[in-house]
Amino acid sequence: MNPATPTIRGLEDKSFLLLIVIASILFGLILVPFYGAVLWAVVIAILFAPLHRRIKRSMPGRPNFAALITLLTILVIVILPLTTLITSLVAEATAVYDRIQSGDINFGQYVQRIFDSMPGWASDLLDRAGLSNLRAVRDRLSTGISEGAKLAAVQAVAVGQNTFKFFLNLFVMLYLLFFFIRDGESIYNRIRDALPIRREHQQALFNKFAVVIRATVKGNMVVAILQGALGGLIFWLLGIQGALLWACLMTVLSLLPAVGAAVVWFPVAIYLLASGDTKKGIILLAYGVLVISLVDNVVRPILVGKDTKMPDYLVLIATLGGIAVFGVNGFVLGPVIAAIFIAAWDIFSNAKQIERPAA
């Protein structure tokens, strides 16, 4: 036997491993422009996997047709309503932005009305807190609110301006979604067999990934959408302008633990009370406390249950960090990365504790 053979074989293995790494990095770079479409195709495929299994059992031997029926169901109940909502949101955001630019909407006047309507005890409380310069406080608040409203409107308008890119990503997502639905199980098995990780560790990580995806989307997003819809409904019934835009803002804020939709509806209720519209202010306060806020306490435990054990502060940091790094996709990617991080370190820690007694 040639003594150089093991060395050559080891060099070949390292070279092949390097080739795999380089090819994987290059393939990842190719997918970067469409990573959002790939991500949401994976997320939706995981969420609707139980539905696809039922449809597949009802029509054995017809995997393509079963996948197509599942895809059409997703299209009807998710994609089409969401596309319609985005279109309406862009139109309303454009109108609000134009009104802010023209001066029809003046947040400084709104804040001034609140200060002017304050009772004596509230003014005294502000004096004790060192906030006696109401003009400066008013200017800061109005500037912050105005800039925030402009930013939200501009972002929504930007979505509308990137119509071609939006529909291209939508097409890619739907195309990939069909194959992820049809071949999801075989794709999962191939990834599992290729990963150089112990089978029990793979199972724990994949389970955690699926659990967090379901908890984040099925639970948090459904609750956020429900709170935003209920908030938008009461805004529309009370005749508050920009109800759809406020509803979307409440939906986004409801995704963040310790923030919630109250950041929107509570100041509006205070403004209504301060401006003399007492009836609407009381209705909005009561509705916000008894309906919007209770959704989080009643619906979330039903949808999420005890699937994920991440504390609220970690979810908040992961979500905000995910948004900062990945944009809108960070709502899902942030908590998922945090959950996999915790799961990986738990597995490592448990393995160490098992090895110590054996040693």
Side-chain angles (χ1 to χ4, degrees), residues 35-95:
Y35 88 93
V38 176
L39 169 68
W40 285 105
V42 172
V43 168
I44 296 174
I46 291 173
L47 290 177
F48 285 88
L51 173 64
H52 175 63
R53 284 194 289 268
R54 294 194 194 97
I55 295 175
K56 192 176 178 180
R57 282 196 298 266
S58 65
M59 47 183 69
R62 305 178 70 183
N64 289 327
F65 191 63
L68 182 61
I69 294 296
T70 307
L71 182 62
L72 290 175
T73 305
I74 295 170
L75 195 65
V76 170
I77 67 176
V78 178
I79 306 299
L80 290 180
L82 186 60
T83 305
T84 304
L85 176 64
I86 291 174
T87 304
S88 302
L89 174 62
V90 169
E92 187 160 332
T94 304

Side-chain angles (χ1 to χ4, degrees), residues 23 32 36 47 56 108 120 131 160 202 278 281 305 327:
V32 164
L47 290 177
K56 192 176 178 180
L131 300 175
Q202 288 182 5
T278 308

Side-chain angles (χ1 to χ4, degrees), residues 276-326:
D277 206 339
T278 308
K279 183 179 178 180
K280 288 185 179 180
I282 293 175
I283 291 174
L284 184 54
L285 273 176
Y287 185 88
V289 173
L290 299 177
V291 178
I292 299 176
S293 297
L294 280 182
V295 168
D296 189 63
N297 299 323
V298 175
V299 178
R300 192 187 301 273
I302 296 173
L303 293 177
V304 180
K306 297 181 180 179
D307 285 345
T308 173
K309 294 290 186 179
M310 286 198 299
D312 285 345
Y313 67 86
L314 183 58
V315 176
L316 177 62
I317 295 298
T319 304
L320 293 176
I323 294 170
V325 176
F326 302 107

Side-chain angles (χ1 to χ4, degrees), residues 32-352:
V32 164
F34 301 102
Y35 88 93
V38 176
L39 169 68
W40 285 105
V42 172
V43 168
I44 296 174
I46 291 173
L47 290 177
F48 285 88
L51 173 64
H52 175 63
R53 284 194 289 268
R54 294 194 194 97
I55 295 175
K56 192 176 178 180
R57 282 196 298 266
S58 65
M59 47 183 69
R62 305 178 70 183
N64 289 327
F65 191 63
L68 182 61
I69 294 296
T70 307
L71 182 62
L72 290 175
T73 305
I74 295 170
L75 195 65
V76 170
I77 67 176
V78 178
I79 306 299
L80 290 180
L82 186 60
T83 305
T84 304
L85 176 64
I86 291 174
T87 304
S88 302
L89 174 62
V90 169
E92 187 160 332
T94 304
V96 170
Y97 180 71
D98 290 340
R99 294 188 64 191
I100 292 174
Q101 292 292 88
S102 64
D104 290 341
I105 297 178
N106 191 332
F107 290 102
Q109 292 180 359
Y110 299 153
V111 176
Q112 182 62 52
R113 287 184 189 177
I114 296 176
F115 281 122
D116 292 341
S117 304
M118 280 184 177
W121 62 267
S123 299
D124 294 339
L125 187 63
L126 289 175
D127 288 337
R128 294 174 187 171
L131 300 175
S132 56
N133 188 355
L134 297 183
R135 183 182 181 86
V137 175
R138 182 204 65 192
D139 292 342
R140 290 178 184 175
L141 285 175
S142 61
T143 300
I145 295 172
S146 180
E147 290 300 321
K150 284 182 181 179
L151 179 62
V154 168
Q155 291 297 325
V157 172
V159 172
Q161 292 173 343
N162 294 327
T163 305
F164 174 76
K165 184 178 179 181
F166 171 77
F167 281 104
L168 178 62
N169 279 277
L170 181 63
F171 170 77
V172 172
M173 188 202 72
L174 292 174
Y175 183 76
L176 292 175
L177 182 57
F178 173 81
F179 293 101
F180 287 165
I181 291 172
R182 190 192 68 179
D183 306 325
E185 189 173 348
S186 61
I187 293 173
Y188 164 75
N189 291 332
R190 293 186 67 177
I191 294 175
R192 183 190 62 188
D193 294 339
L195 284 177
I197 304 175
R198 291 182 186 177
R199 185 58 58 90
E200 61 270 21
H201 294 171
Q202 288 182 5
Q203 192 68 31
L205 290 174
F206 278 121
N207 287 344
K208 192 67 175 178
F209 177 79
V211 162
V212 174
I213 287 290
R214 291 193 181 101
T216 301
V217 179
K218 182 186 72 175
N220 297 343
M221 283 197 169
V222 169
V223 169
I225 291 170
L226 187 57
Q227 286 187 316
L230 290 171
L233 176 63
I234 193 63
F235 275 42
W236 177 70
L237 291 175
L238 294 177
I240 299 171
Q241 294 179 346
L244 180 60
L245 194 60
W246 291 118
C248 292
L249 184 58
M250 281 187 275
T251 300
V252 172
L253 293 174
S254 296
L255 290 168
L256 304 177
V259 179
V263 174
V264 175
W265 63 258
F266 184 73
V268 174
I270 296 300
Y271 167 74
L272 291 174
L273 291 172
S275 60
D277 206 339
T278 308
K279 183 179 178 180
K280 288 185 179 180
I282 293 175
I283 291 174
L284 184 54
L285 273 176
Y287 185 88
V289 173
L290 299 177
V291 178
I292 299 176
S293 297
L294 280 182
V295 168
D296 189 63
N297 299 323
V298 175
V299 178
R300 192 187 301 273
I302 296 173
L303 293 177
V304 180
K306 297 181 180 179
D307 285 345
T308 173
K309 294 290 186 179
M310 286 198 299
D312 285 345
Y313 67 86
L314 183 58
V315 176
L316 177 62
I317 295 298
T319 304
L320 293 176
I323 294 170
V325 176
F326 302 107
V328 177
N329 299 319
F331 281 121
V332 174
L333 281 175
V336 166
I337 292 172
I340 293 177
F341 170 80
I342 293 174
W345 277 99
D346 283 344
I347 292 170
F348 180 75
S349 177
N350 292 335
K352 282 292 186 182

Side-chain angles (χ1 to χ4, degrees), residues 10-27:
L11 181 61
E12 290 174 346
D13 291 341
K14 291 179 180 178
S15 300
F16 184 66
L17 182 60
L18 180 62
L19 175 63
I20 292 175
V21 172
I22 293 174
S24 300
I25 293 173
L26 293 177
F27 183 68

